[in-house]
Amino acid sequence: MRKTMLLAASALAALIAQPLLAKEINLRLTAKEVMLPIDNKGTMQASWTYEGQIPGPVLRVTEGDRVTITLTNDPANKNSHSIDLHAARVDVVKDFEAIKPGETKTFSFVATYPGAFYYHCGSDPMYQHIARGMFGVILVDPKDSKALPKADREYVLVQSEIYANPDDLHSIMKSNWEHVAFNGMAFKYDPVHDPAATRMLVARPGERVRVYFVNAGPNEYSTLHPIAGIWDAVYPSGNPKNRKTGLQSLTVGPGDGATLDIVSPVAGANVIVDHSMSHAHTGAMAVLMYSDDADPKMGRGDLILVP
């Protein structure tokens, strides 16, 4: 009997250790042209979005999955839109083509590399669609569940530039932005530098906090640094094979991404910033507060992208 139980336990352990089986994943997005706030005071701007939010919804699949994307361009829109996923290897002409208002486009790909990838609208002029907010993150989790250390909390941060008038294409090409921001709003998670801010990112001391970071641009580089902290582990593009340790900052170019882990041994706060001061002090700061009573829901489930 004991031998049988040991064999059963060994078989179960072997099954658990195996990579996850690939799945068929169907994802649907709708391009929506809406008015959204660009700061904590409620300044509104005409925005082009996926699902009416900036950044768009976090798409999450597993390495090896076959992913089918269906994009609908809302018939109420005035412009053509598309989707370009950096996690996909497809035909740029056929699969990433723009569709007119009221049309729908479907294509499929296999998620062959794990990572934190950028997706965005590629319709012409691409830089204007990005500047108006048409971007998001697609996470491809590694098929080996042990490829990364277990994270206690996860957050998505997308950096982008906010332009006073995105219809002024010359100002975008000259990178004449008004704010550099995380997740679509200047100082969105920073009540220290903006008293109108009401949100922060939270964790408990000692927890491993994983930040999935994408630089949407469309133009500026980011030097991502946690003030009063050190990145414990950094994975450029989010691939576990790219592991670096003990980094004070990581430079991420427009259209690129990374996965960054941080562990604070003490209560208090880090401030995640783009260490280019003109970027930080126009909006690219996010407070990560550590306390024993941190909200257990934050950084988990749907709240890895804090609205």
Side-chain angles (χ1 to χ4, degrees):
M1 180 67 174
R2 178 176 172 79
K3 183 177 180 181
T4 301
M5 292 178 63
L6 288 172
L7 288 172
S10 297
L12 179 60
L15 181 62
I16 293 173
Q18 287 179 352
L20 296 172
L21 295 176
K23 303 180 295 295
E24 295 280 342
I25 305 294
N26 294 294
L27 300 173
R28 294 180 176 273
L29 289 172
T30 300
K32 297 182 179 181
E33 299 173 5
V34 297
M35 297 293 293
L36 288 177
I38 59 172
D39 59 31
N40 293 304
K41 299 176 183 65
T43 304
M44 304 297 285
Q45 187 174 89
S47 304
W48 301 345
T49 74
Y50 297 103
E51 298 299 334
Q53 64 182 66
I54 300 175
V58 177
L59 309 179
R60 195 159 199 173
V61 301
T62 300
E63 178 187 4
D65 286 348
R66 183 168 185 81
V67 183
T68 297
I69 295 284
T70 299
L71 176 68
T72 298
N73 192 351
D74 192 302
N77 292 344
K78 297 180 180 179
N79 301 277
S80 293
H81 297 297
S82 62
I83 187 166
D84 172 341
L85 296 106
H86 288 200
R89 297 196 292 177
V90 292
D91 179 354
V92 65
V93 176
K94 176 172 66 73
D95 296 319
F96 289 173
E97 68 177 346
I99 55 174
K100 297 177 182 178
E103 295 182 343
T104 294
K105 174 74 179 179
T106 298
F107 65 92
S108 299
F109 67 95
V110 176
T112 50
Y113 287 96
F117 292 98
Y118 182 35
Y119 73 81
H120 60 92
C121 184
S123 299
D124 191 47
M126 184 189 300
Y127 55 89
Q128 183 187 30
H129 288 249
I130 294 170
R132 281 204 179 273
M134 291 203 76
F135 51 76
V137 176
I138 176 168
L139 300 178
V140 182
D141 292 320
K143 60 185 176 183
D144 179 358
S145 61
K146 297 183 179 179
L148 294 171
K150 183 181 181 300
D152 298 293
R153 297 180 195 253
E154 301 174 306
Y155 290 108
V156 168
L157 288 178
V158 182
Q159 180 169 319
S160 65
E161 302 124 41
I162 297 174
Y163 292 82
N165 178 15
D167 285 331
D168 181 355
L169 302 186
H170 181 75
S171 73
I172 301 175
M173 291 296 285
K174 292 296 184 182
S175 204
N176 187 22
W177 40 265
E178 185 173 19
H179 299 284
V180 177
F182 293 146
N183 291 353
M185 289 175 59
F187 301 109
K188 186 171 187 175
Y189 311 116
D190 185 6
V192 175
H193 294 90
D194 185 352
T198 59
R199 291 158 284 202
M200 291 184 294
L201 310 180
V202 302
R204 291 178 178 174
E207 288 186 325
R208 178 171 295 274
V209 179
R210 180 158 294 150
V211 176
Y212 299 107
F213 179 76
V214 159
N215 182 1
N219 295 312
E220 298 290 329
Y221 277 73
S222 176
T223 303
L224 202 67
H225 168 68
I227 299 175
I230 296 173
W231 296 119
D232 179 73
V234 172
Y235 307 88
S237 280
N239 192 317
K241 293 182 178 180
N242 297 339
R243 189 174 191 269
K244 300 176 180 291
T245 59
L247 269 63
Q248 59 189 311
S249 61
L250 180 72
T251 300
V252 181
D256 205 352
T259 298
L260 309 98
D261 286 2
I262 189 167
V263 181
S264 176
V266 298
N270 298 135
V271 183
I272 300 173
V273 303
D274 179 345
H275 214 291
S276 169
M277 291 294 97
S278 63
H279 298 172
H281 285 276
T282 56
M285 296 194 194
V287 174
L288 175 53
M289 180 66 68
Y290 300 95
S291 65
D292 290 333
D293 62 351
D295 186 340
K297 295 180 181 179
M298 291 283 285
R300 295 166 179 149
D302 291 339
L303 290 179
I304 69 170
L305 177 59
V306 180

